[in-house]
């Protein structure tokens, strides 16, 4: 995978969940296109996970809004909110 640009990692809050969002742009594995990739890391003990969203940049007019809505829809239930983000302080 060839990285075209690295936007870095930022701490953010999504629906009360502390998350680390990493963004970069990479070349396609199958052609000359570039892809936008975002990794959303949620630290929640045994329920920690990473959500990866990516799309071909030529389709960003349609897909940026959709992927933003996917990311903003993240929710966790059944976890003590005091523990969410404790590892990221």
């Amino acid at each position: 995978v060839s990285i075209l640009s690295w936007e870095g990692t930022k701490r953010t809050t999504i629906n009360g969940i502390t998350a680390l969002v990493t963004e970069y742009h990479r070349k396609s594995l199958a052609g000359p296109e570039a892809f936008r990739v975002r990794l959303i890391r949620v630290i929640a003990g045994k329920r920690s996970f990473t959500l990866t969203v990516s799309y071909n940049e030529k389709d960003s007019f349609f897909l940026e809004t959709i992927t933003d809505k996917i990311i903003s829809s993240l929710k966790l239930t059944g976890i003590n909110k005091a523990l969410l983000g404790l590892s990221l302080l």
Side-chain angles (χ1 to χ4, degrees), residues 38-57:
R38 287 181 284 174
L39 306 171
I40 297 81
R41 293 183 182 94
V42 174
I43 310 300
K46 292 179 181 181
R47 294 180 62 193
S48 296
F49 64 92
T50 300
L51 169 67
T52 303
V53 294
S54 66
Y55 56 84
N56 191 320
E57 288 184 350

Side-chain angles (χ1 to χ4, degrees), residues 50-67:
T50 300
L51 169 67
T52 303
V53 294
S54 66
Y55 56 84
N56 191 320
E57 288 184 350
K58 71 179 177 122
D59 299 322
S60 65
F61 179 79
F62 300 104
L63 296 177
E64 182 172 16
T65 302
I66 293 169
T67 56

Side-chain angles (χ1 to χ4, degrees), residues 6-74:
W6 183 264
E7 307 301 324
T9 300
K10 296 179 176 105
R11 181 178 158 180
T12 190
T13 303
I14 304 167
N15 296 320
I17 303 164
T18 301
L20 298 174
V21 179
T22 301
E23 180 176 346
Y24 62 91
H25 302 261
R26 67 167 177 82
K27 285 181 86 172
S28 170
L29 299 175
E33 294 92 3
F35 280 75
R36 179 183 185 195
V37 180
R38 287 181 284 174
L39 306 171
I40 297 81
R41 293 183 182 94
V42 174
I43 310 300
K46 292 179 181 181
R47 294 180 62 193
S48 296
F49 64 92
T50 300
L51 169 67
T52 303
V53 294
S54 66
Y55 56 84
N56 191 320
E57 288 184 350
K58 71 179 177 122
D59 299 322
S60 65
F61 179 79
F62 300 104
L63 296 177
E64 182 172 16
T65 302
I66 293 169
T67 56
D68 287 348
K69 285 183 181 183
I70 291 168
I71 292 167
S72 68
S73 72
L74 283 177

